[in-house]
Amino acid sequence: MSKRDELIEKYAEDIKSKFGQTPDMDLLTKVAIGLGPAIYNLDASKVSGSDEKELETVKNNFLIKKLGLAETPALMESVNSVIDAYGKSEKNKHRAVIYYMLTKHFGKESVYN
């Protein structure tokens, strides 16, 4: 099994255990591939739920630029709700899982097709 496949399995397990959902493995794989080499970098592969600057980056670079959503207060609310569902005490919030959950939340799976 490749390193990427191992990481995707780890992400799938987080989606099952933290969010109580069965992941769409095809979409999860596409999200992970879309993150490129960042998934292999210990720092870049995680999102700090307590760092407002980092959450703004998720909003601006992913929700607005990648998913093409308009700037509204609902964007930050959705980021915070995913962070809360992941668990504030969970130190390792994987970027791929957060991006996957936000993609599902906004129904933007078509971005990855």
Side-chain angles (χ1 to χ4, degrees), residues 74 77-79 81-82 100-109:
E77 290 169 18
S78 66
V79 171
S81 75
V82 168
Y100 169 89
M101 295 305 295
L102 289 168
T103 301
K104 296 289 274 184
H105 174 78
F106 287 105
K108 291 296 221 169
E109 293 89 343

Side-chain angles (χ1 to χ4, degrees), residues 1-15:
M1 187 183 291
S2 73
K3 179 72 173 157
R4 183 176 74 200
D5 290 341
E6 289 174 21
L7 288 169
I8 291 168
E9 284 299 316
K10 189 186 298 184
Y11 303 152
E13 189 52 45
D14 268 12
I15 292 167

Side-chain angles (χ1 to χ4, degrees), residues 11-21 23 28 97 100-101:
Y11 303 152
E13 189 52 45
D14 268 12
I15 292 167
K16 289 177 199 162
S17 65
K18 305 288 183 191
F19 297 94
Q21 297 181 18
L28 182 56
V97 173
Y100 169 89
M101 295 305 295

Side-chain angles (χ1 to χ4, degrees), residues 67-78:
L67 298 186
L69 299 169
E71 166 75 65
T72 67
L75 294 185
M76 208 58 206
E77 290 169 18
S78 66

Side-chain angles (χ1 to χ4, degrees), residues 56-67 99:
E56 281 290 325
T57 301
V58 169
K59 181 185 81 170
N60 293 325
N61 291 356
F62 183 69
L63 295 178
I64 295 172
K65 289 180 183 171
K66 176 76 177 173
L67 298 186
Y99 284 14

